[in-house]
Amino acid sequence: MRSYLYDNSDADQRELHDSGVAVSMEQLRGLGIEYRRLNGNTAENLAAVEQLCQERSYKNRDEINISPSLLPEYEKKIKIFFTEHIHEDEEIRFVLEGAGFFDVRDKEDRWVRILVEKGDLLIVPAGIYHRFTLDTTNYIKAMRLFKEDPKWTPINRPDADKNQYHLAHLQSIGVS
Ligand code: KMT
Ligand code: NI
């Protein structure tokens, strides 16, 4: 995991877009982002995932393979993932293979780019504007954790500007 301010250049979304300004774990926590590094063996990692699910009452999980050949309707999905949106539930992702970028909005509404790689578990809070892209290797395999009834429907900007989960998120990070 590595995070930094996005450079806002017009280059391919899959490039690093590293502005050179690092964003610390502390700053990420200030945005409501949680992060765990799971670098044990498969059994140890699964045990850690089980524990997290118990703590948060998560009942279900699945695995998604994102690559041009593995994901049905790849082009369409990639566009949806990279369109700025919120969810009314947190988004927990554990990277099993490959890599990708989650971009999240900071307190000044700038993009913070978070590189996630194998072994990284990221919790994106409900209500935060974000988006996702693969990197130039074009492959990620991730476990998605969800409650019984996940509210994962993306709500795009600006439709979510007045959404109660978005407003609650802004208040929780001290912006409102
Ligand atoms: C999402 O909701 O943006 C995703 O599930 C992205 C793929 S998971 C690495
Ligand atoms: Ni999302």
Side-chain angles (χ1 to χ4, degrees):
M1 200 276 273
R2 198 162 77 76
S3 54
Y4 47 83
L5 288 184
Y6 188 80
D7 71 5
N8 290 318
S9 84
D10 291 334
D12 187 319
Q13 68 193 50
R14 296 173 175 78
E15 300 288 340
L16 284 176
H17 288 274
D18 187 351
S19 68
V21 180
V23 171
S24 66
M25 271 303 308
E26 190 85 355
Q27 288 171 286
L28 287 184
R29 269 197 295 273
L31 300 176
I33 304 280
E34 287 186 62
Y35 169 74
R36 317 255 171 109
R37 175 86 192 145
L38 304 186
N39 56 4
N41 61 37
T42 306
E44 289 165 341
N45 291 349
L46 272 181
V49 168
E50 294 287 357
Q51 196 187 335
L52 187 78
C53 288
Q54 292 242 319
E55 284 165 14
R56 295 179 179 251
S57 305
Y58 274 62
K59 302 268 189 300
N60 296 307
R61 70 187 70 145
D62 71 2
E63 288 177 13
I64 184 169
N65 273 294
I66 308 177
S67 79
S69 59
L70 295 173
L71 186 68
E73 297 191 288
Y74 169 82
E75 289 296 342
K76 184 176 147 199
K77 296 275 178 57
I78 280 298
K79 281 203 186 89
I80 292 173
F81 290 150
F82 202 63
T83 302
E84 181 171 6
H85 64 275
I86 70 154
H87 308 283
E88 295 188 342
D89 251 333
E90 53 188 18
E91 190 170 309
I92 307 186
R93 299 290 183 266
F94 175 42
V95 183
L96 299 166
E97 300 291 341
F101 300 112
F102 280 92
D103 295 336
V104 302
R105 290 289 187 183
D106 74 2
K107 296 183 188 191
E108 281 84 51
D109 208 27
R110 298 172 300 196
W111 282 122
V112 174
R113 174 151 278 199
I114 304 170
L115 164 66
V116 291
E117 298 170 288
K118 180 174 180 166
D120 290 335
L121 185 151
L122 194 70
I123 308 181
V124 177
I128 193 173
Y129 275 122
H130 68 278
R131 63 188 183 187
F132 173 81
T133 181
L134 293 174
D135 70 5
T136 51
T137 62
N138 271 342
Y139 177 59
I140 196 168
K141 178 179 180 182
M143 185 185 288
R144 308 189 292 185
L145 308 185
F146 46 99
K147 297 176 182 169
E148 230 142 359
D149 179 23
K151 294 187 217 121
W152 273 355
T153 319
I155 307 170
N156 292 344
R157 194 166 185 169
D159 297 345
D161 282 352
K162 296 281 182 290
N163 178 282
Q164 59 172 313
Y165 292 87
H166 178 57
L167 295 175
H169 166 71
L170 290 182
Q171 193 155 37
S172 78
I173 66 170
V175 178
S176 45

